[in-house]
Every structure is written in structure tokens, then in C-alpha cells.
Amino acid sequence: MKKINLNDTICPVSFDFNNDRIVYFDKINKHEGIFCLQEDNKKIFLKEVFDNFGIVRNQRLIYYNLFDGKTSLHINDLVEEKNLLLNGIFFDFKFDDNDNLCCLGSTEEGSVIQIFNNELKKIREIFITELLFCSSFEISGEKLYAAGFDKNNVFKILRINYYGIVEQIYNLNYKSNSDIVASFFCLDDYIILHITGRVDKILIFNINTRKHVLINPYKIGLDELADIKKIDNNIAILEKKHLLVYKLDELLKFDNKIEFKVDTNILKYRYLLYSNALINNLKVDVSLAMIIVILVYLIYDIKYSFKFIFSLFGINYFIVSSINNFFKLKRKSKRVEVLLNVFKRRNSFTIIPIVIVLYFYSVLSIYFKLDWKIVFLFLIASFGDYTICKTINSNNINYSVELLEYNNEGLRLYLKDRIAELMENECEKVEINIRVKNFEKDYIKKWKNTRDAILYNGFDYRIIKNDILAHIDFNKRDIKYSRYSILMDFITSIKENYEIDEIKIQPILIKNREKS
């Protein structure tokens, strides 16, 4: 097995490998992606795209987006770019031996492969009627191989000619109602498939015996599986930070056992989300708990011991804080704010061990004598708390928070146009002018403080009567957050606190040019 490190990747999804040159598409965030070249362990930026899916085929950069039942396709060979509008939803693209472009997609008539010449004129159309859904295809000389599933969710591969005649059907003996074939290729007497779904896996199908081996990526030391390709009769597997090249025999050693890996980091983030909310609401929670204890003491007028009163306080605090956090964290804006504080603070300890000890002591001390046992409980809780904080601090670079988004089509299109303008002018600084009806209280300072975790001092603003004038420098942002999501988050936050009259966004570069 050969292992190649990829430099500074975030979420690579497609690649091509030729003469030690790796060209790949890295989906850096929800809305943006970059094509990169790695050669001699050096990363070279090729192209950035917005709101597009990206794949690499034959060292060509292919990116496309879907809208209104159509596919806008762009093919860039680093010399010129060609554009093509396809009627239907298309999602897989390859080139045959004659350099014709073959596109797999779905139209009203069903799954289809459309073939275009160098001038992007359609020369052939092949409908795949034997499959309910065809999700991937491969080209081998004068033959096409189409993979998908039939009406019974049985996975099959068809070998067809360029006239659309099915010459052979391979039943993979694999059935699923949640998986699809992302990609595949033929190697000797085997067909190697990348199956994606709840758990990504590799299926190796023996053409002669009609049996398969199903491999979970975790069993071969991969954190995830993004793409596979054939390279010099070997199997290249793309994961988050590496490209691994295996010989077929190496993979065939693994059995069919599928193992599931639970991502405990999500649970750890929820733990820190809860702990930060406890800190933020500490004064309110403690005050309410104390008020309840005082009311109970006054209403019943019974001389309770201090130990009983303390226990009553601990139980009330736990109940009050849980209810308070539940209702506050139901709001997405509050969850985003607290999670960004988790990223920003990088805690080594939280308040939760104290809360756990307080609660258990309050409940158990009424009936049992705890003494030193409570110290032992505190040490165990503190060690677990420290371990969780340490894990999250080391993994913060791998995660991002879904920011606020106001559901308005007009605003969405306006932001996309402004971002396209930014990219055309190669400008990363933007000015936002928002006029509100009544500016009474400054809620923007709070937004600035929390979003500093993703903008790193790349945001400043000032208030002129009812106008909010803000500047954002996208050069300073965490690249896991797109320009679109940051702008939408800012405007949505403004809308939650003010009534907006007007929004104007423009690149600062253009403004400076107009002044000169």
C-alpha cells in the first residue's frame, strides 16, 4: 500500500491521478469549492467555483449546478472553458477514447447517457430502461457499463454497446434501499464499486464466481471514503487527508463484515453546548432555585436542617437549569451563538462536574452518608470533562457550525449575484449598508463577538442614525464558512432584531475605483 499526503485539504470529493500529478476538487464549505493540483508535494490553486458540484475527469475540471430541472455544465481544461446546458438532472461525466463527452443523468424518459462531440453537439442518446435508477457509468473501449438498481432495489451492472443494446447483466447479489453506486471500474476479472449511503463501502465483485467482498473503510484504516479510481492496475482511494493506493490482492484479504463507527464528537459538542449554556444562565438559574427554596421554607414553616435545604437547592437548580436551557437552546440563533463560543473559548474544564456532584449529593445525601465518596465522584467527573474538552480542542479544525439563514428567495438570489461580482473582481472585501426603521439597541456587537470565531477580526461596523454600515474581509475568514453563509447569517441576525428597510452590498474595490 502506498500513502500520499494531501496538503491542507478540507473535504476532497473527486480526483484524477497522472504522472504523480494529483488534481482534485475540495468542497471547502457548503457553497464553495476549489480545484487544486498537487505535484512534488506542493499544492497549486487552479480554480474556485461557487454553488457548484465539482469533479475531475482526464485532468479536466468539470463543475455543474442544477436548477429548474436543468443542468448547467462547465468544462475547463486550464486553457479554455466550454459551457453546456442540459435538459434534465445530470450528475456523472466522462470522456471516451474519441474524447467525446458522455453525460449520465435522469430525464422525464428515465436514466440516459447523452454523448457530445468536441463542439458539444449531441451525437448519441442511450436510454437505460433495465434499471429503475442508474447512478454511475464507466467506459471501456467500445463498451459502456452502467450501474444502478432495479425496481426491487437489487444492484446490477449492465454492459451495453453504443447502440443501447444490453449485452450482459451482472447481478451483484447486493440489495439496499438506502445505498447507491457512486462510482466503479473494471479491473482484471473484478468490478470495484464505491457504494455510498449511510455507510460508505467498497464492493469487489468477481465476474467469474459472481461473489463479492464488501469492505468497510474503517477496516483498512480510513476515516472516510470520498472517491476511488483505477491507477496502473491498482486501486486508489481518496480520503480526507490522503490518497492511498492498494493492490487488488491487499483489499481482497478483508471479509464481508460491516462495522459501524459512531461519531462521538457530535455528542461531545452537545456536552459543551450544554455546559456553556449553564455558564451563560448561571445567575438566572441560581436565583430561581434559591427563590423556590425560600418559598418552600416560608410556606411550610418547618425547621429543616441546613443539609436538607442545601439538597433542596441542588435539586431545584438542576431542574430549573435543565428547563431553562431546553427552551433557550430551542432557538437556532442561541445554539449558533453558544456553539461558536465553544469554538472560540477552547475550554480545558467546564462547570458540569460541579453540577453533577451537586445534583447527586443533593439527592443521595438525604438517605446516605457520602463523606469522601463525593470527592471520588468529582474526580471521575472532572477527568471525563477534561478528556472531552481536550478532544474537542484538537478536533475544532474539522467541524463547522451551520449559521443562520433567512428563507427568502429574493435575498438568496441577491446575495449570489453579489458574490459572483466579488469573484469576478477577485475582491475579498465587501461593504454592507443596511437601513432599519428604528435603531434603539446595538445587537450587532454581540454578533461581532461570537462571529469572531470564524472571521478573526475581519468584521467592523458603525452606526449612522438608522443605517448600519459594515465591512467584512473574507480573506480573514475560516474557509470552512462560505461568503454566502456569512452574509446570510449577518443579515438574518439583523432581521431578528430590527425591521429592515433596505440592503445594499458592494465590493469595496469597486467603490474605490468609482471614487478615483
Side-chain angles (χ1 to χ4, degrees):
M1 187 267 287
K2 180 182 178 182
K3 188 174 184 179
I4 303 170
N5 293 326
L6 299 176
N7 297 325
D8 302 323
T9 52
I10 293 176
C11 185
V13 295
S14 178
F15 77 102
D16 199 9
F17 189 93
N18 185 28
N19 297 327
D20 293 329
R21 290 161 50 97
I22 305 171
V23 182
Y24 61 90
F25 179 72
D26 196 357
K27 188 68 175 172
I28 55 177
N29 55 54
K30 184 178 179 180
H31 302 101
E32 298 163 344
I34 56 175
F35 289 96
C36 297
L37 165 68
Q38 182 164 308
E39 186 175 18
D40 297 329
N41 206 31
K42 294 180 180 178
K43 178 179 177 179
I44 302 171
F45 171 83
L46 298 177
K47 186 174 181 62
E48 180 182 16
V49 296
F50 172 71
D51 207 25
N52 285 270
F53 301 96
I55 56 178
V56 184
R57 296 285 186 264
N58 293 26
Q59 300 286 308
R60 292 181 174 101
L61 318 181
I62 299 177
Y63 58 101
Y64 62 99
N65 61 4
L66 311 173
F67 65 96
D68 298 333
K70 297 181 179 180
T71 305
S72 177
L73 177 66
H74 310 271
I75 305 165
N76 189 314
D77 63 2
L78 302 181
V79 177
E80 64 173 337
E81 183 165 300
K82 296 180 180 180
N83 305 314
L84 179 64
L85 184 63
L86 299 166
N87 289 315
I89 306 300
F90 287 80
F91 41 80
D92 198 4
F93 310 92
K94 291 183 172 68
F95 295 90
D96 65 14
D97 293 342
N98 297 317
D99 212 31
N100 295 318
L101 172 67
C102 303
C103 309
L104 170 66
S106 180
T107 63
E108 293 179 354
E109 290 80 13
S111 295
V112 63
I113 296 175
Q114 295 182 354
I115 303 176
F116 299 83
N117 61 18
N118 279 324
E119 286 73 40
L120 296 185
K121 293 181 180 179
K122 189 191 298 183
I123 58 176
R124 190 162 292 155
E125 193 170 47
I126 303 171
F127 286 95
I128 305 168
T129 57
E130 287 77 9
L131 297 174
L132 179 65
F133 177 69
C134 179
S135 57
S136 184
F137 77 108
E138 187 64 33
I139 303 170
S140 180
E142 296 298 320
K143 306 297 179 183
L144 296 172
Y145 292 82
F149 53 83
D150 61 16
K151 61 182 180 180
N152 298 315
N153 290 326
V154 176
F155 282 60
K156 296 179 178 179
I157 291 180
L158 312 179
R159 190 181 74 196
I160 57 182
N161 60 30
Y162 272 73
Y163 297 101
I165 299 173
V166 178
E167 298 181 342
Q168 192 162 6
I169 299 177
Y170 301 103
N171 189 329
L172 300 179
N173 298 316
Y174 181 79
K175 187 175 181 179
S176 173
N177 58 5
S178 61
D179 294 344
I180 63 170
V181 178
S183 62
F184 72 99
F185 55 84
C186 301
L187 180 58
D188 298 332
D189 294 328
Y190 294 88
I191 301 175
I192 319 297
L193 301 98
H194 173 198
I195 307 289
T196 186
R198 292 174 185 169
V199 178
D200 282 36
K201 41 201 166 279
I202 299 171
L203 189 149
I204 303 178
F205 178 75
N206 189 313
I207 296 174
N208 298 322
T209 64
R210 302 301 171 103
K211 294 181 179 180
H212 68 257
V213 173
L214 203 56
I215 302 170
N216 188 294
Y218 307 132
K219 296 195 69 175
I220 55 177
L222 303 180
D223 290 329
E224 58 188 38
L225 175 60
D227 195 13
I228 64 171
K229 271 191 175 60
K230 179 172 71 173
I231 298 176
D232 299 329
N233 290 321
N234 292 320
I235 300 168
I237 301 175
L238 176 69
E239 66 158 354
K240 195 167 189 177
K241 297 292 182 183
H242 308 97
L243 183 66
L244 300 103
V245 183
Y246 288 88
K247 292 182 179 179
L248 178 59
D249 291 341
E250 292 177 312
L251 292 182
L252 288 173
K253 294 176 183 178
F254 296 94
D255 57 32
N256 291 0
K257 186 179 178 182
I258 291 294
E259 298 174 353
F260 293 89
K261 182 180 180 182
V262 179
D263 188 358
T264 57
N265 283 327
I266 300 300
L267 298 176
K268 292 172 183 175
Y269 272 104
R270 289 180 179 177
Y271 175 90
L272 291 187
L273 177 70
Y274 179 71
S275 70
N276 276 265
L278 283 175
I279 292 291
N280 295 338
N281 303 325
L282 186 61
K283 290 182 180 179
V284 174
D285 295 341
V286 169
S287 299
L288 286 173
M290 290 184 67
I291 290 170
I292 293 172
V293 170
I294 292 170
L295 288 174
V296 170
Y297 185 81
L298 293 175
I299 291 172
Y300 291 97
D301 194 26
I302 300 175
K303 300 301 180 181
Y304 295 111
S305 67
F306 175 78
K307 187 177 182 180
F308 185 87
I309 292 174
F310 183 80
S311 296
L312 186 62
F313 167 77
I315 294 169
N316 279 314
Y317 171 75
F318 183 81
I319 295 172
V320 167
S321 62
S322 297
I323 294 173
N324 195 10
N325 285 343
F326 174 78
F327 284 104
K328 283 197 173 183
L329 293 177
K330 281 188 74 174
R331 290 180 58 209
K332 183 177 179 180
S333 58
K334 188 66 179 178
R335 291 197 305 273
V336 171
E337 175 188 324
V338 175
L339 273 172
L340 288 175
N341 279 329
V342 169
F343 280 76
K344 187 176 178 180
R345 289 176 181 171
R346 300 179 69 85
N347 297 324
S348 296
F349 293 97
T350 73
I351 195 176
I352 288 184
I354 298 174
V355 174
I356 290 174
V357 170
L358 175 63
Y359 176 70
F360 278 98
Y361 181 81
S362 300
V363 173
L364 299 177
S365 64
I366 299 174
Y367 307 101
F368 305 101
K369 187 177 181 180
L370 297 176
D371 298 333
W372 61 269
K373 298 185 183 81
I374 201 69
V375 177
F376 185 66
L377 175 63
F378 177 73
L379 292 175
I380 293 175
S382 297
F383 178 75
D385 183 73
Y386 172 76
T387 303
I388 290 173
C389 291
K390 185 178 179 181
T391 304
I392 289 300
N393 289 339
S394 62
N395 282 324
N396 266 354
I397 193 171
N398 298 324
Y399 290 87
S400 60
V401 179
E402 184 182 89
L403 301 179
L404 304 179
E405 183 165 0
Y406 174 51
N407 187 18
N408 183 283
E409 184 66 13
L411 177 60
R412 188 180 71 84
L413 294 175
Y414 177 71
L415 291 183
K416 285 190 173 185
D417 288 343
R418 299 287 72 77
I419 292 166
E421 187 180 12
L422 277 173
M423 295 175 70
E424 286 173 7
N425 288 277
E426 297 182 353
C427 177
E428 293 293 339
K429 295 182 180 179
V430 65
E431 179 181 276
I432 310 160
N433 195 330
I434 301 178
R435 178 165 295 171
V436 299
K437 284 197 172 178
N438 291 300
F439 190 93
E440 297 177 353
K441 186 177 179 181
D442 188 355
Y443 294 98
I444 306 168
K445 185 176 181 181
K446 192 175 185 180
W447 186 92
K448 181 183 187 309
N449 290 337
T450 57
R451 272 53 175 189
D452 190 51
I454 60 178
L455 283 171
Y456 306 114
N457 297 319
F459 174 83
D460 63 80
Y461 74 100
R462 54 195 175 101
I463 309 299
I464 306 174
K465 294 184 179 179
N466 289 329
D467 285 359
I468 302 168
L469 186 64
H471 291 165
I472 296 179
D473 184 355
F474 290 119
N475 280 313
K476 297 183 179 180
R477 68 181 164 128
D478 183 339
I479 201 171
K480 295 193 298 296
Y481 297 87
S482 68
R483 304 174 184 88
Y484 175 90
S485 62
I486 292 172
L487 287 173
M488 178 62 83
D489 179 72
F490 177 63
I491 293 170
T492 304
S493 180
I494 297 294
K495 187 182 181 304
E496 286 187 351
N497 296 290
Y498 308 98
E499 188 175 350
I500 297 176
D501 273 346
E502 186 180 14
I503 300 173
K504 288 183 180 179
I505 301 174
Q506 62 178 336
I508 292 178
L509 179 64
I510 292 179
K511 184 179 179 181
N512 291 341
R513 284 175 180 171
E514 288 175 352
K515 285 183 178 181
S516 60

